[in-house]
Amino acid sequence: MEKNKIEVKPLLQSMLSASKEVLKKEWKHVAPVAELQIKNIIHNLEQIAELKLNKRITEEQAKLHLTIQKESFKTILLSFEGIGIITAEKAINAALNTVKSTINKAIGWRLL
Amino acid sequence: MIINIRNFGLFSILVFLFSCAEVKLIQEYDAVSNHKINIIYDKATKFFVKLKRNIGLPENRFEKHIDFYDDLKSDIHILETRTKAIDKSAIVQKQINSLDIQIQTIEQLHKAGFKSKEEIELIQSAFDQTMTAILKLQVALKNKNNQ
C-alpha cells in the first residue's frame, strides 16, 4: 500500500460489513442506498487525507473532519435502523389485522 | 363445563389482546420536529453558501458567525427536548445528538479558520448526508402514519 493513501475497496468492504452487521434483516432493503452513501463518506475520507498530505489542514483539523464524517455515517445507520423498525411494525400490525378480520368473519359480526 | 370455561377464558384473552393490539415499536411522526429539522437544514445551507463565497475574506472569521452557532444550538436544544418528550423516540434522539456533535465540531474547525473551499465542501457533503438520513426517517414516519 502506498504510504498515506487510502485503499478504497477494503475500506468499502469493511464499512459495508459493519453496516450489514448492524442492520441484519433490514440490510437487503437498504443495501443500494447504503452502498452509495458509504461511497460518499469514503470519498470524503480520501479528501481529508489529501488535505492533510498537502498540509492544507493540520492533524488536529483532520481529526475534527473525521469526527464529522463518523457522526454522519452514524446518522445514516440510525436512519436505516429506524426504517427497518417501521417495516417490522407495519408487518406485525398487518398480521394482527388479518387475525382480527378472520375472527370477525368467523363470528359473523364485528367483535374486534 | 370446565372445558367451556377454559375456552371462554382463552377466547376472552384473545379478544382483549387483539382489540387493544396495535403494536408500536417506534415513535409517531411529529410535524413540529420535522419543521424544526428543515429550519436547521435551511440555516446551515445558507451558512455554507456564504462561507464558500467569502473564502479568504474577513467576513468568514469565526467572530462574525457566533450568532449563527448560538441560533443553531438553540434550535437543536429545542428539538432535543421535544424529541425526548415523545414516546419511543430513541433513534431520532440519537440522530439529533449526532447532529449536535457535528455542529460543535464545525464550530471548532471554524475557530481554527477555513482556508479552502474544498474544506467547506467536505463538511457540507457530510452535513447533507446527515440531513438526508434524518429527513429520510422523518418521511418514513410520516408515511407510516398515513397508511
Side-chain angles (χ1 to χ4, degrees):
Chain A
M1 189 175 88
E2 199 182 316
K3 198 187 171 194
N4 292 324
K5 183 151 171 52
I6 294 175
E7 289 283 351
V8 175
K9 214 173 170 184
L11 186 59
L12 176 66
Q13 284 312 318
S14 116
M15 286 174 88
L16 285 173
S17 306
S19 308
K20 272 184 206 171
E21 186 57 35
V22 172
L23 299 168
K24 294 186 175 89
K25 284 178 190 168
E26 290 85 42
W27 176 250
K28 63 179 180 191
H29 302 295
V30 301
V33 186
E35 194 163 331
L36 183 72
Q37 287 182 303
I38 290 168
K39 277 180 181 167
N40 281 338
I41 297 263
I42 291 173
H43 173 71
N44 290 348
L45 296 178
E46 283 181 302
Q47 280 199 298
I48 294 168
E50 204 180 305
L51 287 169
K52 170 71 184 69
L53 276 176
N54 296 332
K55 297 186 170 75
R56 292 167 76 183
I57 54 171
T58 63
E59 192 177 332
E60 186 58 36
Q61 286 170 317
K63 280 180 188 168
L64 291 171
H65 275 288
L66 286 176
T67 302
I68 295 173
Q69 300 299 326
K70 188 190 82 182
E71 289 299 325
S72 180
F73 184 53
K74 193 162 106 184
T75 321
I76 293 166
L77 288 182
L78 283 166
S79 178
F80 290 142
E81 189 187 342
I83 291 167
I85 293 173
I86 292 170
T87 311
E89 188 184 290
K90 278 182 188 168
I92 293 167
N93 286 328
L96 286 173
N97 280 334
T98 309
V99 175
K100 270 187 194 179
S101 70
T102 306
I103 291 176
N104 285 338
K105 208 171 170 184
I107 292 170
W109 48 279
R110 194 178 167 144
L111 175 69
L112 300 174
Chain B
M1 185 65 178
I2 291 167
I3 291 168
N4 280 343
I5 291 169
R6 271 192 192 154
N7 284 343
F8 180 74
L10 188 63
F11 181 72
S12 304
I13 289 168
L14 278 174
V15 167
F16 173 75
L17 281 176
F18 288 112
S19 58
C20 60
E22 177 80 2
V23 173
K24 192 176 149 188
L25 303 174
I26 193 166
Q27 69 168 93
E28 294 302 315
Y29 169 71
D30 177 45
V32 177
S33 298
N34 185 47
H35 181 63
K36 200 77 176 161
I37 290 164
N38 279 292
I39 286 173
I40 290 169
Y41 193 26
D42 183 56
K43 285 177 185 172
T45 304
K46 284 173 182 158
F47 167 72
F48 288 128
V49 169
K50 276 185 192 166
L51 283 184
K52 280 192 278 186
R53 191 198 303 130
N54 295 327
I55 203 81
L57 299 173
E59 281 84 350
N60 265 10
R61 289 223 310 263
F62 173 73
E63 292 73 28
K64 301 212 170 191
H65 295 272
I66 292 173
D67 282 352
F68 163 78
Y69 288 105
D70 287 351
D71 191 26
L72 218 59
K73 280 180 194 171
S74 303
D75 284 339
I76 290 173
H77 182 73
I78 292 166
L79 190 56
E80 267 179 338
T81 310
R82 183 166 181 98
T83 312
K84 276 179 194 164
I86 298 170
D87 194 28
K88 295 190 188 291
S89 64
I91 289 181
V92 175
Q93 277 183 51
K94 284 181 195 168
Q95 284 188 322
I96 303 306
N97 179 255
S98 179
L99 181 64
D100 190 23
I101 294 170
Q102 286 176 65
I103 294 296
Q104 286 177 38
T105 314
I106 294 169
E107 188 179 9
Q108 278 179 269
L109 280 166
H110 199 167
K111 280 178 186 168
F114 294 124
K115 291 175 190 72
S116 67
K117 200 176 167 185
E118 288 89 341
E119 201 183 345
I120 297 163
E121 277 169 352
L122 195 56
I123 297 168
Q124 190 175 10
S125 162
F127 195 81
D128 282 344
Q129 296 230 69
T130 299
M131 295 313 291
T132 306
I134 293 174
L135 290 169
K136 199 175 274 186
L137 181 55
Q138 290 296 313
V139 170
L141 287 170
K142 191 174 184 180
N143 288 341
K144 173 183 96 136
N145 260 32
N146 290 341
Q147 282 172 357

